[in-house]
């Protein structure tokens, strides 16, 4: 019971009454936490997040169909060595059109292991995640509006490609997972690019370059900045610099205009942020 | 230390490695939780959330300026008794244009009490929140891109109005808080509508009707569905029905087209969702 109370205290520190929210829950607590952590409640359960995801998918499909009316000069994949301050893109030439998506929390929600980790009160475990990649087919779900969005893209002749940091060793499991979620066929090496496909580890830049050498990439979508360029993930990049880079004029010209970001408050590179990164000292406040 | 470990376990159950995220934090733990809960890290600290908020503000300003080129027939405020299945809107007539915003986590981020609640490991406390409404000026910050967005609206002659469930008794504190955040002048009874202005409590419908009687409301924005219509907050409305209503064809026609939703995974009406609401049984999965 102490565990339960502490978990709840830590995870549900939220002013439910501020807006039009109902009163805080008063249901009796079980031996487990009575409710999932708030980030999981929001992302996987709320109408609010479903609307945000659906709207993002609608923007992607609308953008894609508008974009291919006239052949773009360039892909939205940055050329090697191009920085956000002087962006330079891979050329489109006469290559066929493609749209490149991250998989986890971009095409599918990983409900199975997310519930498991949260119920156990455990953090991410790479061995369990590896099992999930192999056996999760049917337990991950397409995100709201994603199947429709992909269908609209494919009907317009746009090749749909996933570039994910799931392991190349588990390619079949990920192909099966995406198919079972109703998202169609992804084939390793053709329309599914995985960590281990090249020697650059979790950076997706190399795989993006490979894809852009064969396709005119009209859009990319993901839930983290590494889904767009590895320069946002440079080791020890200070949080303030990452923020400045991601909201620079050059980057802002791409958001919703070729680069599409899905909400994911459940996990991400921002998990390293400390109290003073998240809350500037000038905003500190204490009640009397 | 036990408390710290449990808080972390409960709040940071996240596969940081799935995409291009860095390794889980290994910094030594202090007597307090070493990191803020993930929902707060994401919303208030991440570049990912800043981008999402900025992009929403850009969509609002672009929409508003486009919308007023030709006078709309109707406000985006539902008429009393209009349901989502047969939406009917307040008429615009020749009324001046207005844009109606929730305040908390829509115009401003409430960094002061959010850090306080999280550091204390406590949940929302209405007495502390009441103090915050009175004394928070200078400790709440404008959300990314919000000041620019409001400036574009006002420059186009659109009246900016806040309709919030902050208390009418604390009107001066909220006026001061919005001004100190750089968001300009909001005046109680004219451009600031508060809980207690009428006898309908936390429902914003009555206040919306009051506003729509004087203005052609071209857009509304908020972080929760109650910022658009009280029908999403009907007592004991099952979660599945709320979801169906919020993602119905009629509602989908409004999202990003007059109704604009900001991300807020920190608090909301979805906090009442239980494990089985968030994670359908068909998606349950356990590692070997």
């Amino acid at each position: 019971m102490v565990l339960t109370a502490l978990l709840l205290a830590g995870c549900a520190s939220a002013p439910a009454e501020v807006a039009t929210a109902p009163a805080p829950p008063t249901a009796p607590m079980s031996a487990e936490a009575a409710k999932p952590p708030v980030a999981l409640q929001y992302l996987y359960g709320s109408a609010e997040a479903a609307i945000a995801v659906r709207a993002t998918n609608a923007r992607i499909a609308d953008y894609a169909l508008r974009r291919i009316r006239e052949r773009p000069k360039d892909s939205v994949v940055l050329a090697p060595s191009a920085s956000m301050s002087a962006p330079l893109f891979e050329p489109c030439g006469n290559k066929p059109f493609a749209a490149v998506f991250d998989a986890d929390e971009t095409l599918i929600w990983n409900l199975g292991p997310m519930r498991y980790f949260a119920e156990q009160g455990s953090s991410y475990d790479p061995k369990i995640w590896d099992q999930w990649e192999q056996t999760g087919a049917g337990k991950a779900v397409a995100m709201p509006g994603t199947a429709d969005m992909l269908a609209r893209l494919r009907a317009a002749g746009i090749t749909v490609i996933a570039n994910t940091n799931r392991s190349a060793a588990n390619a079949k499991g990920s192909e099966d997972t995406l198919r079972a979620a109703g998202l169609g066929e992804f084939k390793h090496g053709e329309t599914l690019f995985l960590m281990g496909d090249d020697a650059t580890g979790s950076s997706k830049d190399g795989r993006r370059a490979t894809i852009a050498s064969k396709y005119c990439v009209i859009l990319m979508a993901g839930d983290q900045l590494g889904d767009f360029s590895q320069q946002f993930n440079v080791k020890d990049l200070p949080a303030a610099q990452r923020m400045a880079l991601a909201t620079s004029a050059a980057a802002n010209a791409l958001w919703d205009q070729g680069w599409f970001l899905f909400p994911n408050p459940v996990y991400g590179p921002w998990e390293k942020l400390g109290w003073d990164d998240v809350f500037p000292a000038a905003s500190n406040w204490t009640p009397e």
Side-chain angles (χ1 to χ4, degrees), chain A residues 46-253:
Chain A
S46 79
E48 283 79 358
I51 290 164
V53 169
R54 268 181 195 282
T56 305
N57 276 316
R59 285 197 297 276
I60 289 173
D62 290 347
Y63 176 86
L65 271 56
R66 198 170 61 235
R67 196 76 190 86
I68 62 170
R69 280 186 209 152
E70 229 176 297
R71 171 163 286 272
K73 184 177 150 285
D74 289 329
S75 278
V76 294
V77 175
L78 287 170
S81 82
S83 76
M84 283 313 307
S85 48
L88 194 74
F89 298 92
E90 296 280 2
C92 268
N94 287 315
K95 291 176 272 194
F97 297 126
V100 177
F101 296 85
D102 178 36
D104 297 305
E105 275 58 44
T106 294
L107 295 174
I108 53 172
W109 278 342
N110 292 288
L111 298 183
M114 292 306 175
R115 178 173 186 153
Y116 178 80
F117 288 138
E119 281 190 329
Q120 302 290 313
S122 66
S123 59
Y124 172 68
D125 179 332
K127 284 184 188 165
I128 290 177
W129 187 266
D130 191 65
Q131 273 192 48
W132 168 247
E133 291 187 2
Q134 295 173 45
T135 67
K139 307 294 184 181
V141 298
M143 284 160 52
T146 301
D148 285 352
M149 179 273 290
L150 294 185
R152 287 181 66 193
L153 265 53
R154 287 174 173 139
I158 300 162
T159 299
V160 172
I161 294 174
N163 182 9
T164 156
N165 279 341
R166 286 172 167 241
S167 165
N170 299 330
K172 184 179 181 305
S174 292
E175 288 173 353
D176 292 348
T177 296
L178 292 164
R179 185 188 309 110
L183 299 180
E185 294 299 319
F186 289 83
K187 195 173 170 199
H188 185 207
E190 297 182 10
T191 52
L192 178 61
F193 291 78
L194 298 161
M195 183 152 70
D197 284 350
D198 61 25
T200 58
S202 65
S203 169
K204 297 181 171 181
D205 276 356
R207 287 172 260 153
R208 272 188 283 267
T210 300
I211 297 164
S213 72
K214 295 177 193 159
Y215 291 95
C216 170
V217 178
I218 56 165
L219 69 90
M220 298 192 289
D223 63 321
Q224 299 180 2
L225 299 185
D227 295 322
F228 306 94
S229 168
Q230 187 63 12
Q231 69 191 280
F232 298 115
N233 284 347
V234 168
K235 195 174 175 324
D236 299 327
L237 182 69
Q241 278 186 39
R242 187 174 190 267
M243 178 72 85
L245 207 58
T247 57
S248 63
N252 285 345

